[in-house]
């Protein structure tokens, strides 16, 4: 029999991982959910962030979270650049469906192979003084390794939520998906707004990458696991809804953790995929969709 | 009056909190020329989408040629003779004009001799000299004619023409109007959704008026022209 | 007689390939040709859905590996003949295509693409945990010692792949020259308009995913015998997904010739490059060429050639 204690630990671990999943998914919720750009390369940007964090940690001894935060402007620029290219080559011509997808797939592949060429297939990890510590609440152990990514992930989600709903630019981003004509009448260029939003989405990847490598070691192809997972969360949460993303991330984290505890960790991946297919088949607007 | 072709019974459609259609009912008879008018956003295109199967209504029933088609997919409605055009033409961009016509001829009309039939249609709509061009090379009026020709190729019993004349010059409007009259003369019932009053009034035997998702009037063109409610809806009084 | 022409081409290709095996005896050529031909099948299969219908499948590796592992099961359980393995591999992968299609194709096309991306990862995890087929450690498929009419089993595998490649190309050719091909093109150009003009879009899309998946599975079925030691990492290699969409994109997606040209050029180049430079660098080049073509020459090599021909006669 599985003990209550074990289940409780699994639920807590799932919630912790869920907070981190939210951080990985935010970029997709913005780029795919709000802008309707099928940015399947997002998870590989997260891996790229993780490797930058690794490099700074291994050579300069920099703190992973600090590096992740410092890199956000760079990733913002990367995102703006990628969107400009995507817009000029595909969206403007109305060819985004087939070729845009292939474009992002090509990007994903190129970044992954570049990382492979530079760092090889070995797992890489980071060091920080707080890793390895654990606090115990009753019978539940909470590892810092999971707690810190969860807190940062939730913090990032809340920050994005308030940015999108309370600021001028945030509202413009939310508006651009629904009514770009109205924006144009207000004198705002929708392409600029989209580029900023896309940059913002990719910027979250450097922090998410730092969280990823805090949780565990990283190798170049790890991003592929997160494609299904992150899109499942984004769709489940109702595309473009940041609050929904957070709830869905917690749900999926707990579901995976319970599956791993009850049936073994190898089945956990199948959970996200199963969730994705189920949501698409039964309720494509997501659990919290409009 | 001749037999009933299409019966729309209290069709309702909501988008989120927005009520696009409220219990709209219509009856259209075989061979009839019917006009559907209303201000922008009154629900005309939503109604066409529900009738053609692009959208599923939230409530109400749709019967065509005596069959309840409310839950049918669009392609089966088309094969039964209920055909629509799109407001903004949606040609198959990778195909020539002739190949565009082949799609409905092969899939909806089931013609053994699709080629000859396509040419006959192109002649009728005066598009024959453009048969081998691609849609990107066509003018606005030719795109509209292609949209119409493609719908006619599906062998409609009832054709719903969604603003096929919008943005055309007065001479071009007359040309399209003549085509629609000719199609009607072949026995095809036609529902014309249009903003150009001159055209609708001249074409229609009966007209229904939608305003904010509600059918506010129906009658002959003369009755509609003198209807107070219609005037109010259009002038926003 | 439309059916006869591709059928004759298939028979001719197989006969020619067989005659070749009686003349050429260097095994390396058969290994190399097998890989290129395998890509011809995968690229052609991908293009039936991607090029003709406009739905992007990122999960070629999943369908390919499913074919390969179906073969492993048949081999281990019943010592089945290769032909049976090919048919069964095709059937199982076709069913997977049908299932995934049925669950996702009623929505916007991108969901299908996302689902196929996730599919490969999940299927790989499942296979890795399935001890019967070797799990993560892999499985040794011992080739039959002899095969009638052939001196060498590798030569036999080569002819089988010639058959599959010719078959795939004939299927693609037949689709292009039929009502089905026009229906799929209509879906790609404008799905809603196609549906409103009488095209049963869902049924045609399911047909295309099933057919495409089945061909990929057939290409995977001989793989255990070819590689003799099969493990999930090699069967689910992302290279299959990248190459099977890069090849049609580079050759041209509009006709059956495009994937063939792309697969032969890119496949041969990779065979040569793997010997001369590292395989990672080789993959990087594929990725860069793919992105370059998608941006600069969206109609592929065939499109470039056609455009030059159109410009000249004026």
């Amino acid at each position: 029999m599985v003990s209550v204690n074990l289940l409780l630990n699994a639920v807590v671990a799932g919630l912790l991982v869920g907070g981190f999943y939210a951080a990985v998914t935010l970029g997709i919720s913005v780029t795919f959910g709000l802008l309707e750009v099928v940015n399947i390369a997002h998870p590989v940007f997260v891996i790229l962030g993780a490797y930058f964090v690794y490099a700074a940690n291994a050579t300069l001894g920099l703190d992973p979270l600090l590096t992740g935060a410092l890199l956000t402007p760079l990733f913002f620029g990367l995102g703006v650049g990628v969107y400009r290219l995507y817009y000029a080559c595909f969206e403007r011509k109305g060819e985004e469906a087939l070729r845009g997808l292939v474009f992002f797939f090509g990007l994903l592949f190129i970044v992954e192979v570049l990382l492979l060429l530079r760092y090889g297939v070995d797992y890489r990890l980071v060091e920080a003084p707080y890793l390895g510590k654990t606090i115990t609440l009753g019978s539940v152990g909470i590892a810092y390794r999971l707690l810190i990514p969860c807190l940062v992930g939730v913090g990032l989600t809340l920050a994005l939520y308030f940015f999108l709903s309370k600021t001028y630019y945030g509202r413009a981003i939310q508006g651009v998906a629904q009514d770009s004509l109205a924006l144009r009448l207000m004198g705002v260029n929708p392409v600029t707004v989209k580029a900023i939003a896309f940059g913002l989405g990719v910027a979250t990847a450097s922090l998410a990458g730092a969280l990823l490598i805090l949780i565990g070691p990283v190798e170049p192809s790890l991003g592929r696991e997160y494609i299904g997972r992150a899109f499942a969360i984004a769709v489940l949460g109702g595309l473009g809804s940041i609050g929904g993303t957070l709830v869905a991330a917690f749900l999926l984290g707990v579901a995976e953790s319970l599956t791993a505890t009850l049936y073994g960790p190898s089945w956990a991946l199948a959970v996200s995929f199963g969730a994705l297919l189920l949501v698409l088949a039964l309720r494509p607007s997501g659990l919290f969709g409009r | 009056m001749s037999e009933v072709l299409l019966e729309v019974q209290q069709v309702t459609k909501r988008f989120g909190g927005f009520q696009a259609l409220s219990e709209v009912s219509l009856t259209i008879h075989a061979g009839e020329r019917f006009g559907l008018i209303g201000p922008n956003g009154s629900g005309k295109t939503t109604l066409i989408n529900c009738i053609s199967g692009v959208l599923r209504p939230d409530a109400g029933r749709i019967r065509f040629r005596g069959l309840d088609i409310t839950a049918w997919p669009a392609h089966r409605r088309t094969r039964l003779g209920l055909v629509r055009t799109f407001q903004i033409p949606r040609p198959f961009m990778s195909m020539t004009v002739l190949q565009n016509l082949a799609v409905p001829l092969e899939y909806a009309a089931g013609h053994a001799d699709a080629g000859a039939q396509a040419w006959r249609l192109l002649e009728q709509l005066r598009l024959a000299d453009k048969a081998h061009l691609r849609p990107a090379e066509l003018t606005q009026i030719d795109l509209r004619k292609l949209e119409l020709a493609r719908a006619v190729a599906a062998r409609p019993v009832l054709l719903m023409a969604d603003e096929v004349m919008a943005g055309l010059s007065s001479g071009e409007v007359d040309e399209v109007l003549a085509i629609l009259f000719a199609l009607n003369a072949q026995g095809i019932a036609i529902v014309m959704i249009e903003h150009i009053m001159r055209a609708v009034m001249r074409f229609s035997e009966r007209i229904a008026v939608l305003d904010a998702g509600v059918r506010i009037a129906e009658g002959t063109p003369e009755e509609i022209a003198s209807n107070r409610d219609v005037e109010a809806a259009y002038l926003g009084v | 007689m439309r059916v006869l022409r591709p059928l004759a081409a298939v028979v001719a290709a197989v006969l020619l390939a067989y005659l070749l095996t009686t003349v050429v005896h260097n095994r390396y050529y058969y290994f190399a040709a097998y890989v290129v031909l395998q890509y011809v099948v995968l690229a052609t299969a991908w293009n039936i859905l991607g090029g003709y219908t406009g739905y992007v499948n990122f999960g070629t590796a999943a369908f390919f590996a499913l074919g390969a592992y179906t073969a492993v099961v048949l081999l281990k359980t019943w010592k089945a003949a290769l032909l049976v393995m090919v048919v069964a591999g095709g059937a199982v992968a076709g069913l997977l295509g049908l299932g995934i299609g049925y669950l996702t194709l009623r929505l916007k096309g991108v969901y299908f693409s996302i689902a196929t991306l996730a599919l490969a990862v999940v299927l790989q995890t499942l296979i890795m945990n399935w001890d019967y087929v070797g799990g993560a450690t892999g499985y040794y498929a011992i080739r039959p010692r002899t095969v009638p009419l052939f001196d060498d089993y590798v030569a036999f595998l080569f002819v089988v792949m010639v058959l599959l490649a010719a078959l795939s190309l004939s299927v693609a050719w037949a689709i292009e020259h039929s009502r089905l091909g026009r229906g799929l093109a209509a879906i790609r150009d404008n799905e809603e308009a196609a549906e409103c003009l009488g095209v049963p879009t869902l049924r045609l899309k399911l047909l295309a995913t099933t057919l495409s998946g089945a061909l990929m599975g057939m290409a995977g079925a001989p793989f255990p015998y070819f590689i003799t030691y099969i493990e999930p990492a090699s069967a689910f290699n992302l290279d299959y997904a990248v190459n099977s969409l890069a090849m049609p994109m580079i050759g041209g997606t509009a006709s059956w010739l495009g994937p063939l040209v792309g697969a032969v050029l890119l496949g041969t180049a990779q065979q040569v490059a793997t010997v001369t430079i590292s395989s990672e660098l080789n993959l990087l080049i594929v990725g860069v060429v793919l992105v370059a073509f998608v941006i600069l020459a969206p109609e592929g090599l065939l499109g470039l050639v056609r455009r030059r021909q159109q410009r000249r006669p004026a």
Side-chain angles (χ1 to χ4, degrees):
Chain A
M1 263 319 285
V2 182
S3 72
V4 176
N5 190 13
L6 200 63
L7 286 182
L8 199 62
N9 267 295
V11 170
V12 171
L15 287 173
L16 292 176
V17 170
F20 156 69
Y21 285 173
V24 177
T25 311
L26 284 179
I28 287 172
S29 291
V30 173
T31 53
F32 181 50
L34 287 175
L35 308 181
E36 298 186 354
V37 177
V38 191
N39 177 18
I40 52 174
H42 187 75
V44 92
F45 292 144
V46 174
I47 305 294
L48 187 68
Y51 269 93
F52 279 153
V53 167
Y54 158 75
N57 185 262
T59 56
L60 306 170
L62 280 182
D63 178 75
L65 285 175
L66 180 68
T67 319
L70 287 178
L71 281 174
T72 47
L74 183 73
F75 273 65
F76 179 83
L78 173 72
V80 171
V82 166
Y83 179 76
R84 290 278 176 193
L85 185 63
Y86 170 78
Y87 176 77
C89 298
F90 309 103
E91 201 171 74
R92 195 172 43 136
K93 299 178 198 158
E95 289 177 352
E96 61 261 39
L98 182 76
R99 312 205 178 279
L101 261 176
V102 174
F103 167 73
F104 280 111
F105 187 70
L107 272 190
L108 176 161
F109 189 69
I110 289 172
V111 174
E112 190 179 312
V113 176
L114 280 176
L115 287 175
L116 202 65
L117 280 170
R118 176 73 183 77
Y119 294 104
V121 291
D122 301 334
Y123 279 94
R124 306 284 166 163
L125 40 84
V126 288
E127 281 165 24
Y130 42 82
L131 289 175
K133 287 185 188 164
T134 304
I135 44 172
T136 323
L137 292 174
S139 60
V140 180
I142 299 177
Y144 274 53
R145 193 173 56 82
L146 292 177
L147 180 62
I148 291 171
C150 175
L151 292 179
V152 176
V154 172
L156 188 62
T157 311
L158 292 179
L160 194 65
Y161 178 80
F162 282 110
F163 172 77
L164 287 176
S165 54
K166 301 288 184 233
T167 66
Y168 174 78
Y169 266 106
R171 289 207 200 104
I173 288 170
Q174 296 223 304
V176 79
Q178 281 149 25
D179 197 351
S180 54
L181 183 67
L183 279 182
R184 202 163 273 160
L185 291 176
M186 284 158 59
V188 187
N189 181 357
V191 180
T192 310
V193 174
K194 282 188 174 186
I196 291 172
F198 203 92
L200 206 64
V202 176
T204 64
S206 72
L207 257 179
L211 304 182
L212 175 71
I213 201 164
L214 278 180
I215 288 184
V218 168
E219 52 95 21
S221 70
L222 189 63
R224 287 184 230 152
E225 270 183 31
Y226 283 90
I227 296 175
R229 198 176 269 148
F231 274 94
I233 293 170
V235 176
L236 196 67
L239 282 174
S241 155
I242 304 298
T245 299
L246 188 60
V247 178
F250 280 134
L251 271 179
L252 201 74
V254 172
E256 279 192 7
S257 177
L258 283 176
T259 310
T261 307
L262 296 176
Y263 304 100
S266 44
W267 292 98
L269 256 186
V271 172
S272 58
F273 184 68
L276 179 66
L277 281 188
L278 267 180
V279 174
L280 290 183
L282 300 177
R283 196 170 155 72
S285 59
L287 289 177
F288 318 100
R290 284 150 280 179
Chain B
M1 210 176 245
S2 59
E3 62 165 313
V4 171
L5 204 53
L6 176 76
E7 272 178 285
V8 177
Q9 297 165 340
Q10 304 191 302
V11 162
T12 296
K13 181 72 196 174
R14 278 178 293 269
F15 297 108
F18 175 68
Q19 183 96 10
L21 294 173
S22 315
E23 302 191 350
V24 174
S25 298
L26 284 178
T27 304
I28 291 162
H29 299 85
E32 194 172 14
R33 294 191 305 273
F34 194 93
L36 182 63
I37 63 172
N40 275 325
S42 58
K44 303 183 297 287
T45 295
T46 305
L47 183 60
I48 296 307
N49 281 339
C50 286
I51 296 174
S52 65
V54 171
L55 291 174
R56 216 36 63 87
D58 296 315
R61 306 230 65 88
I62 297 163
R63 299 176 65 81
F64 184 66
R65 296 172 80 176
L67 295 169
D68 186 338
I69 59 165
T70 316
W72 284 27
H75 70 268
R76 284 188 65 199
R77 302 178 194 217
T78 302
R79 289 172 175 187
L80 197 63
L82 180 58
V83 186
R84 59 92 54 93
T85 67
F86 287 96
Q87 204 171 15
I88 298 160
R90 296 185 183 182
F92 301 125
M93 297 301 285
S94 71
M95 305 181 197
T96 63
V97 167
L98 198 63
Q99 289 165 337
N100 260 277
L101 292 193
V103 173
L105 282 172
E106 287 173 346
Y107 276 96
H111 269 285
D113 190 14
Q117 186 66 17
W119 279 109
R120 208 183 57 75
L121 268 169
L122 289 179
E123 306 261 317
Q124 191 186 350
L125 275 87
R126 275 171 272 169
L127 271 175
D129 51 332
K130 316 243 166 59
H132 297 295
L133 294 184
R134 280 174 209 279
E137 300 162 299
L138 294 182
T139 59
Q140 259 309 310
I141 168 91
D142 286 337
L143 277 174
R144 300 297 173 86
K145 287 204 277 189
L146 171 60
E147 185 75 13
L148 256 180
R150 234 174 30 165
V152 175
R155 261 220 295 226
V157 179
L158 172 64
L159 174 68
M160 297 182 287
D162 193 358
E163 297 200 25
V164 279
M165 295 177 250
L168 297 185
S169 73
S170 149
E172 289 166 342
V173 167
D174 288 337
E175 187 180 348
V176 174
L177 214 48
I179 292 170
L180 290 176
F181 268 114
L183 290 172
N184 180 248
Q186 293 168 22
I188 302 173
I190 293 176
V191 175
M192 178 191 278
I193 299 98
E194 199 54 69
H195 273 300
I196 303 170
M197 280 307 157
R198 178 176 70 89
V200 191
M201 290 295 173
R202 214 175 97 200
F203 182 76
S204 311
E205 296 162 314
R206 261 185 333 131
I207 293 176
V209 189
L210 277 184
D211 182 35
V214 179
R215 196 197 68 179
I216 56 167
E218 191 182 315
T220 63
E222 295 74 30
E223 288 164 2
I224 293 298
S226 57
N227 185 309
R228 281 287 165 81
D229 292 338
V230 176
E231 207 177 319
Y234 268 89
L235 298 175
V237 183
Chain C
M1 287 283 98
R2 275 194 167 163
V3 195
L4 285 183
R5 245 206 292 176
L7 203 66
V10 172
V11 173
V14 171
L15 280 179
L16 221 65
Y18 177 71
L19 287 178
L20 195 70
T21 63
T22 59
V23 184
V24 181
H25 293 287
N26 187 337
R27 283 184 114 190
Y28 170 75
Y29 290 120
Y30 294 119
F31 274 113
Y34 178 95
V35 174
V36 174
L37 287 166
Q38 175 182 287
Y39 277 130
V40 171
V41 181
L42 291 178
T44 305
W46 183 91
N47 203 45
I48 288 175
L49 192 62
Y52 298 170
T53 324
Y55 279 77
V56 183
N57 180 358
F58 291 120
T60 304
F63 293 95
F64 176 83
L66 194 63
Y69 273 97
T70 303
V72 168
V73 171
L74 289 176
L75 184 63
K76 209 180 156 187
T77 318
W78 292 290
K79 297 219 174 306
L82 183 62
L83 203 66
V84 177
M85 283 158 43
V86 168
V87 172
V92 173
L95 278 177
L96 178 72
L98 182 66
I100 294 287
Y102 189 76
L103 286 177
T104 59
L105 282 177
R106 282 169 297 176
L107 306 165
K108 272 194 297 184
V110 295
Y111 290 114
F112 172 78
S113 304
I114 294 165
T116 57
L117 256 178
L119 177 70
V121 181
V122 172
L123 215 56
Q124 184 174 356
T125 324
L126 295 187
I127 296 286
M128 281 175 62
N129 288 288
W130 193 13
D131 291 332
Y132 187 75
V133 293
T137 40
Y139 175 80
Y140 279 102
I142 298 154
R143 293 182 190 139
R145 209 159 298 150
T146 55
V147 56
L149 299 174
F150 290 90
D151 311 332
D152 184 1
Y153 203 82
V154 177
F156 169 63
L157 286 176
F158 160 75
V159 173
V160 168
M161 212 30 99
V162 168
L163 168 70
L164 290 180
L167 195 71
S168 314
L169 289 168
S170 316
V171 168
W173 186 90
I175 290 175
E176 249 170 67
H177 291 83
S178 72
R179 195 174 88 131
L180 175 61
R182 211 191 297 283
L184 296 180
I187 292 174
R188 178 192 61 208
D189 283 0
N190 195 316
E191 191 161 338
E192 207 165 86
E195 174 77 24
C196 283
L197 290 169
V199 180
T201 53
L202 181 61
R203 203 184 314 154
L204 293 199
K205 284 189 292 182
L206 288 178
L207 195 63
T209 40
T210 309
L211 212 55
S212 170
L215 288 174
M216 289 175 181
M218 287 167 94
F223 185 66
Y225 274 151
F226 174 73
I227 194 142
T228 62
Y229 171 63
I230 178 172
E231 39 136 10
S234 62
F236 284 93
N237 204 323
L238 192 65
D239 304 0
Y240 294 121
V242 178
N243 273 312
S244 65
L245 71 90
M247 287 161 175
M249 283 288 175
I250 288 167
T253 53
S255 82
W256 61 275
L257 203 56
L260 176 64
V261 169
V264 169
L265 280 182
L266 210 58
T268 313
Q270 283 179 69
Q271 284 300 305
V272 175
T274 327
V275 183
T276 50
I277 55 174
S278 83
S279 61
E280 281 88 20
L281 202 60
N282 170 5
L283 283 176
L284 183 66
I285 295 168
V286 176
V288 172
V289 170
L290 169 64
V291 171
F293 261 87
V294 168
I295 292 177
L296 301 172
E299 281 163 9
L301 286 172
L302 289 187
L304 289 180
V305 171
R306 201 164 299 143
R307 213 174 295 165
R308 279 190 76 159
Q309 282 173 342
Q310 276 172 358
R311 215 171 295 157
R312 210 170 294 154

